[in-house]
């Protein structure tokens, strides 16, 4: 792939990070819908919409993939969400989120195992700086104490970050699998989430038009289109840049919540903003500061 194509794919992948930043806002607007039911609704809507698009364009044949591909995609999407929900149910949410949000760092580190990828010092420095900003953002600058009775939750949080980082990196090895196949992964994730809902949760539907609108917005963007654009990014883009930039998702989510009156702008948020932004710039310095002449040759 040319450097121009790689740059374009990276930009498409970054759009997923922007969409994931709306998770907090739309999630807050969805009311008291339990997480597995919300997962069922969002992945169900997004998967059906993608399936309809494949039917209209005559591309349903792209869903014919080997069973290994279906298992990989389904367990990547569903496994991450299953273990994340398990983590926040069985451990303090702050600590669970801190453990879970090591997945961007793991993506950068695991990328060194991919053919043709080179992990350089600035990738690591930028990602670690982003992690530091995320820690400050999630904790609010206060101390963290890991509770001894929450090992199940902490273990699930470790599993969730391993599932998503592995899924993202190993997707690169499945570059021949078309992004359209993600529609099938979404539908299977909705099905498995529905089973978990029936077994583990009490049903609480969205109670007002605004809540249903929030669910549909989640399905359209952060729990829908984002997984398709992320697939393009990790398969064809700069995966180290995507990993480092992923730390901007919790920051942008926090800023959106503040803008809509769900939070306040504090000093720790401002410092986290600087750290995450600087980290992303450092990690992406090759892409940002490459000379026009080199880009033209690519």
């Amino acid at each position: 792939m040319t450097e121009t194509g790689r740059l374009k794919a990276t930009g498409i992948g970054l759009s997923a990070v922007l969409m994931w930043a709306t998770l907090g806002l739309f999630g807050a607007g969805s009311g008291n819908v339990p997480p597995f039911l919300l997962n069922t609704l969002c992945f169900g809507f997004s998967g059906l919409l993608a399936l309809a698009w494949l039917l209209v364009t005559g591309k349903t044949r792209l869903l014919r993939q080997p069973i290994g591909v279906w298992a990989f995609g389904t367990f990547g999407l569903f496994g991450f969400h299953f273990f994340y929900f398990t983590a926040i149910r069985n451990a303090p949410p702050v600590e669970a989120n801190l453990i879970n949000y090591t997945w961007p760092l793991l993506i950068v580190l695991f990328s060194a195992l991919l053919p043709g990828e080179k992990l350089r010092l600035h990738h690591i420095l930028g990602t670690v700086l982003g992690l530091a900003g995320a820690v400050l953002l999630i904790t609010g600058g206060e101390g963290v104490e890991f509770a001894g009775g929450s090992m199940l939750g902490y273990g699930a949080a470790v599993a969730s970050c391993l599932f998503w980082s592995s899924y993202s990196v190993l997707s690169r090895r499945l570059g021949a699998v078309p992004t359209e196949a993600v529609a099938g992964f979404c539908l299977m994730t909705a099905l498995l989430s529905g089973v978990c809902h029936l077994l583990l949760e009490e049903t609480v539907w969205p109670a007002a038009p605004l809540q249903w609108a929030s669910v549909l917005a989640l399905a359209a963007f952060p729990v829908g289109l984002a997984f398709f654009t992320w697939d393009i990014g990790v398969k064809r883009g700069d995966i180290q840049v995507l990993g480092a930039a992923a730390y901007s998702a919790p920051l942008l989510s926090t800023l959106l919540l503040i803008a809509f009156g769900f939070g306040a702008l504090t000093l720790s948020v401002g410092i986290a903003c600087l750290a995450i932004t600087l980290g992303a710039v450092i990690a992406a310095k090759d892409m940002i500061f490459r000379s026009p002449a080199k880009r033209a040759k690519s």
Side-chain angles (χ1 to χ4, degrees):
M1 175 180 286
T2 66
E3 188 63 28
T4 300
R6 182 179 172 90
L7 186 63
K8 181 180 179 181
T10 303
I12 293 173
L14 289 174
S15 72
V17 177
L18 295 177
M19 285 185 271
W20 286 332
T22 65
L23 270 169
L25 181 62
F26 293 143
S30 64
N32 296 317
V33 181
F36 281 115
L37 176 56
L38 188 60
N39 225 34
T40 304
L41 293 172
C42 291
F43 277 108
F45 287 147
S46 62
L48 288 173
L49 185 62
L51 179 60
W53 181 80
L54 291 176
L55 287 169
V56 169
T57 56
K59 295 182 178 180
T60 52
R61 67 186 185 281
L62 297 177
L63 294 176
R64 299 191 200 111
Q65 300 296 328
I67 188 65
V69 171
W70 276 87
F72 170 79
T74 300
F75 286 109
L77 293 185
F78 174 74
F80 167 73
H81 289 87
F82 175 83
F83 284 112
Y84 177 70
F85 293 151
T86 302
I88 60 177
R89 284 171 179 266
N90 293 278
V94 169
E95 286 84 347
N97 272 302
L98 284 174
I99 295 172
N100 173 71
Y101 242 97
T102 57
W103 66 259
L105 176 61
L106 292 178
I107 285 178
V108 174
L109 296 179
F110 290 167
S111 69
L113 304 175
L114 292 172
E117 294 292 343
K118 293 181 180 179
L119 184 59
R120 296 186 170 88
L121 180 60
H122 66 273
H123 292 135
I124 299 175
L125 289 176
T127 308
V128 169
L129 191 56
L131 176 60
V135 169
L136 181 60
L137 188 68
I138 293 170
T139 63
E142 299 179 0
V144 177
E145 183 177 348
F146 289 92
S150 303
M151 296 311 296
L152 173 62
Y154 297 146
V158 170
S160 71
C161 70
L162 286 173
F163 257 78
W164 190 247
S165 56
S166 299
Y167 170 82
S168 297
V169 172
L170 291 175
S171 290
R172 189 74 152 229
R173 306 300 297 267
L174 298 176
V177 176
T179 294
E180 287 84 353
V182 175
F185 306 159
C186 289
L187 290 172
M188 290 302 297
T189 298
L191 177 63
L192 293 175
S193 297
V195 172
C196 287
H197 166 66
L198 294 175
L199 294 175
L200 303 172
E201 296 175 335
E202 179 181 351
T203 300
V204 179
W205 295 104
L210 180 60
Q211 293 182 7
W212 276 110
S214 295
V215 170
L216 292 175
L218 284 168
F221 300 108
V223 194
L225 183 60
F227 292 109
F228 292 85
T229 60
W230 184 252
D231 186 78
I232 294 172
V234 294
K235 283 180 177 176
R236 304 180 185 91
D238 191 321
I239 196 166
Q240 288 105 349
V241 170
L242 290 172
Y247 280 118
S248 64
L251 170 65
L252 294 173
S253 180
T254 300
L255 294 178
L256 275 173
L257 289 170
I258 291 171
F260 281 86
F262 291 100
L265 184 61
T266 63
L267 178 61
S268 61
V269 172
I271 296 174
C273 179
L274 291 175
I276 292 171
T277 302
L278 182 59
V281 170
I282 290 173
K285 77 175 187 67
D286 290 342
M287 186 174 69
I288 296 172
F289 300 110
R290 181 176 288 118
S291 68
K294 287 185 177 180
R295 288 178 186 169
K297 289 180 180 178
S298 299

